[in-house]
Amino acid sequence: MTMEFKQVTRNFGRKQVLRGVNMTWDAGQLYGLLGRNGAGKSTLMKIVNNRLFPTAGKVLLDGKSVTENAAAQNRIFLMSAATLYPGDSRIAQLFTLTQQMYGRFDDQLAAHLVQAFGLDPHQRLRKLSTGYRTIAKLIIALCVPCDFVMLDEPVLGLDANNREIFYQELAATFAKRPRTFIIASHLIEEIENLVTHVFVLDGGTITLDEDVADLAVKGRVVTGPAALVREWLSGTCVLRTVQLGGMVTAYTLDAPLEKPLPTGVSVDGMDLQQLYLELTRTGGGPHVD
Amino acid sequence: MTMEFKQVTRNFGRKQVLRGVNMTWDAGQLYGLLGRNGAGKSTLMKIVNNRLFPTAGKVLLDGKSVTENAAAQNRIFLMSAATLYPGDSRIAQLFTLTQQMYGRFDDQLAAHLVQAFGLDPHQRLRKLSTGYRTIAKLIIALCVPCDFVMLDEPVLGLDANNREIFYQELAATFAKRPRTFIIASHLIEEIENLVTHVFVLDGGTITLDEDVADLAVKGRVVTGPAALVREWLSGTCVLRTVQLGGMVTAYTLDAPLEKPLPTGVSVDGMDLQQLYLELTRTGGGPHVD
């Protein structure tokens, strides 16, 4: 069970938002999809879900294009900021509607989540606050029978208590019924402990595709006099370099730790939030120094 | 220049969302309005802005009701998740439209912010991503000439870099042209250093109305054997008590620090995020023990 992106490109008028995205989503994984505002995360997810079509390239589910493929689409779900449901519907009606569309729906989990979040299932969608509208959509996303569930900013407008409930409930349902979640979120430090693999989308392509465990082990911040840092790192892939006067800070997953460290150069660990910020600053992106 | 809330109450059908809110907003302040999802923060702001009317009670600007008062409304601005602008408008057109509505508009600041956030002013509103739609609305909110600017979830969908830019630009424009901002946000730790006074809305009323400086000085977490903690705190206003077995944790702004501390009881400081979480948990709210 695999979702493959092959050179996926999407233009809006003259603007190229995605320029040849290659990526693979495997079965039973928790992926984080990171990227700046406007990087194209939502565009990418909408292409998987046929709300948009690619200008070029393909998305394949088990080798078959997902585009206008009803069988594939029945295995894919996208929860996003856009509300496609009729606003007058009551929450319980949306659950029934979803069941009819996807054939199954985890009623038991829905009942549990409604209580955990304190959502009134008899309320109409349009009468809910911003946060509770997100909660209603989240509950649906966790109860559909789909193999690939994309969550585009799942905690938009949620308070700290409800964000915590969501992270716990997602981990619980994932443990009970493994399927693949793809989570696009700007609260990196909150999803850092939830996801097992991250993709960074920047400048229209995937600039990072790594297991979180590897990032924690391999990520290094190297600081020191520019000439010494450059020499020590020569031949390695540096994700980003920031120079201030004669001093340089370099971010790498590939530090040559076996080489002796020159005096004045220090090497520290890197957290995901820090790495992400560096990767997506204007002018960022990996390069070999 | 004062905005006064007098027993403001609002029902939706049988549901009482606001039940007698009393609060005062002074000139040239940065206020934080905190509260759980569905607490009524947006309802409160919409009442000030005449998008909703109160069931009972009044909001007075310099002694005069703001309800259906065009002169008062011209001094009030609300930025919220709801997009009231025509989606086909280009950003630059929205700036012009706002100028026409409010008489003035800080073009110079708008040009600076457009560049700082990397927003294309020729883009149409509906073509923007979730984050950039928020950014467009934020820019307008910072450039209107109003005395009271309410920001309902101003960083909804913004990435970490853009949130940082927003906090910095808000502080800068506030220093240059002091007016009153009321910020409702769920990212407490991010606004903690920005606002000078916080209100907590819980159960339909204001349960906390304090300067942040006082909270930092007065907030205490008292932990120890239940009987000892209760005795030490007797007669003081306890915001919340959490009991686990025979041990109790009590949150208070009113610890009797002059009294000797019983053995086994400890007193610690309290941060805003922690206080807020405790104040708004189910069953929270202040009580005198």
Side-chain angles (χ1 to χ4, degrees):
Chain A
M1 211 141 61
T2 307
M3 186 85 72
E4 275 176 295
F5 294 75
K6 290 195 182 283
Q7 291 293 332
V8 175
T9 296
R10 170 70 204 208
N11 305 337
F12 289 101
R14 281 159 301 177
K15 203 176 163 198
Q16 193 167 37
V17 172
L18 302 177
R19 41 185 98 203
V21 167
N22 294 306
M23 174 167 54
T24 301
W25 297 343
D26 289 320
Q29 299 292 323
L30 281 171
Y31 292 113
L33 178 62
L34 310 181
R36 293 286 314 256
N37 286 131
K41 302 181 297 295
S42 302
T43 299
L44 196 92
M45 292 181 161
K46 283 181 190 162
I47 287 174
V48 179
N49 190 226
N50 283 197
R51 292 189 200 171
L52 283 177
F53 296 112
T55 306
K58 279 181 209 169
V59 181
L60 306 172
L61 175 55
D62 293 341
K64 286 181 189 150
S65 170
V66 300
T67 305
E68 299 187 284
N69 174 346
Q73 287 303 323
N74 204 43
R75 296 167 57 193
I76 297 168
F77 188 85
L78 169 60
M79 177 240 170
S80 71
T83 302
L84 303 178
Y85 306 109
D88 253 353
S89 318
R90 296 180 195 278
I91 303 309
Q93 292 174 325
L94 294 182
F95 293 169
T96 310
L97 196 70
T98 310
Q99 174 146 40
Q100 286 162 356
M101 285 179 67
Y102 288 91
R104 264 179 305 144
F105 189 78
D106 192 338
D107 287 317
Q108 214 177 334
L109 179 58
H112 167 72
L113 293 174
V114 156
Q115 195 164 34
F117 284 112
L119 174 68
D120 175 3
H122 305 298
Q123 192 60 267
R124 292 182 199 276
L125 187 64
R126 70 174 163 79
K127 294 234 174 161
L128 296 179
S129 70
T130 307
Y132 271 104
R133 214 168 293 163
T134 299
I135 286 171
K137 291 195 259 177
L138 274 181
I139 294 178
I140 293 172
L142 295 186
C143 296
V144 290
C146 304
D147 297 323
F148 290 87
V149 178
M150 298 178 283
L151 305 173
D152 191 1
E153 310 227 22
V155 297
L156 208 66
L158 260 59
D159 66 41
N161 293 276
N162 284 330
R163 293 202 299 276
E164 194 50 44
I165 294 173
F166 165 65
Y167 299 130
Q168 284 173 4
E169 294 292 344
L170 177 63
T173 180
F174 177 75
K176 203 169 167 187
R177 175 163 68 89
R179 61 252 199 220
T180 295
F181 286 99
I182 303 92
I183 305 170
S185 175
H186 292 298
L187 300 182
I188 317 298
E189 62 282 25
E190 295 190 357
I191 67 162
E192 190 172 1
N193 299 315
L194 193 66
V195 302
T196 51
H197 190 102
V198 288
F199 299 99
V200 170
L201 183 60
D202 189 41
T205 60
I206 299 293
T207 57
L208 185 84
D209 179 342
E210 285 281 340
D211 281 351
V212 172
D214 288 345
L215 283 178
V217 172
K218 290 159 45 184
R220 292 287 188 282
V221 185
V222 184
T223 313
L228 295 179
V229 169
R230 290 231 160 79
E231 196 198 318
W232 193 66
L233 287 174
S234 70
T236 68
C237 177
V238 173
L239 297 168
R240 183 171 169 85
T241 318
V242 182
Q243 181 144 7
L244 196 70
M247 299 292 280
V248 110
T249 302
Y251 298 81
T252 179
L253 296 178
D254 198 22
L257 298 172
E258 68 289 353
K259 280 164 64 176
L261 199 65
T263 313
V265 175
S266 68
V267 178
D268 293 296
M270 183 160 53
D271 65 22
L272 187 54
Q273 167 85 1
Q274 191 186 3
L275 172 63
Y276 160 79
L277 276 174
E278 288 306 331
L279 274 180
T280 57
R281 271 185 216 282
T282 311
H287 60 103
V288 176
D289 232 23
Chain B
M1 211 141 62
T2 310
M3 187 84 74
E4 275 175 294
F5 294 74
K6 290 196 182 285
Q7 291 293 332
V8 175
T9 295
R10 170 70 203 208
N11 304 336
F12 289 102
R14 281 158 301 177
K15 203 177 164 198
Q16 193 167 39
V17 171
L18 302 177
R19 41 186 99 201
V21 167
N22 294 306
M23 174 167 54
T24 301
W25 296 344
D26 288 320
Q29 299 292 322
L30 282 171
Y31 292 112
L33 178 61
L34 311 181
R36 293 286 314 259
N37 286 130
K41 302 181 296 297
S42 302
T43 299
L44 196 93
M45 291 180 160
K46 283 180 190 163
I47 287 174
V48 179
N49 192 227
N50 283 198
R51 292 190 201 170
L52 282 177
F53 296 112
T55 306
K58 279 179 209 171
V59 182
L60 307 172
L61 176 55
D62 294 340
K64 286 182 189 149
S65 170
V66 300
T67 307
E68 298 187 285
N69 174 346
Q73 288 303 323
N74 204 43
R75 297 167 55 195
I76 297 167
F77 189 85
L78 169 59
M79 177 240 172
S80 71
T83 301
L84 304 177
Y85 306 108
D88 254 352
S89 319
R90 296 182 195 278
I91 303 308
Q93 292 173 326
L94 294 182
F95 293 169
T96 310
L97 195 70
T98 309
Q99 173 146 41
Q100 286 162 356
M101 284 179 67
Y102 289 91
R104 267 179 303 145
F105 188 79
D106 192 338
D107 287 318
Q108 212 178 336
L109 179 58
H112 167 71
L113 293 173
V114 156
Q115 194 164 33
F117 285 111
L119 174 69
D120 175 3
H122 305 297
Q123 192 60 266
R124 292 181 198 276
L125 188 63
R126 70 175 165 76
K127 294 233 176 162
L128 296 178
S129 70
T130 306
Y132 270 104
R133 213 168 294 164
T134 298
I135 286 170
K137 291 195 258 177
L138 274 180
I139 294 178
I140 293 172
L142 295 186
C143 296
V144 290
C146 304
D147 298 322
F148 291 88
V149 178
M150 299 178 285
L151 305 173
D152 192 1
E153 310 226 23
V155 297
L156 208 66
L158 259 61
D159 66 40
N161 294 277
N162 284 330
R163 292 201 300 277
E164 193 52 43
I165 294 174
F166 165 65
Y167 298 129
Q168 283 172 5
E169 294 293 344
L170 176 63
T173 179
F174 177 75
K176 204 168 166 187
R177 175 163 67 90
R179 61 253 199 220
T180 295
F181 287 99
I182 303 91
I183 305 169
S185 176
H186 292 298
L187 300 182
I188 316 298
E189 63 281 26
E190 294 190 358
I191 67 161
E192 191 172 359
N193 298 316
L194 193 67
V195 301
T196 51
H197 191 101
V198 288
F199 299 99
V200 170
L201 184 60
D202 189 41
T205 60
I206 299 294
T207 57
L208 185 85
D209 179 342
E210 286 279 340
D211 280 353
V212 171
D214 288 346
L215 283 177
V217 172
K218 290 159 46 185
R220 292 288 186 283
V221 185
V222 185
T223 312
L228 294 179
V229 170
R230 290 232 160 80
E231 198 198 316
W232 191 65
L233 287 175
S234 71
T236 67
C237 178
V238 174
L239 296 168
R240 186 173 167 85
T241 317
V242 183
Q243 183 144 6
L244 197 71
M247 297 294 281
V248 107
T249 301
Y251 298 82
T252 179
L253 296 179
D254 197 24
L257 299 172
E258 68 289 353
K259 279 164 68 176
L261 200 65
T263 315
V265 175
S266 68
V267 178
D268 293 297
M270 183 160 56
D271 65 24
L272 187 56
Q273 167 86 357
Q274 189 186 5
L275 172 65
Y276 160 79
L277 277 174
E278 288 306 331
L279 273 179
T280 56
R281 270 185 217 283
T282 311
H287 61 99
V288 177
D289 231 26

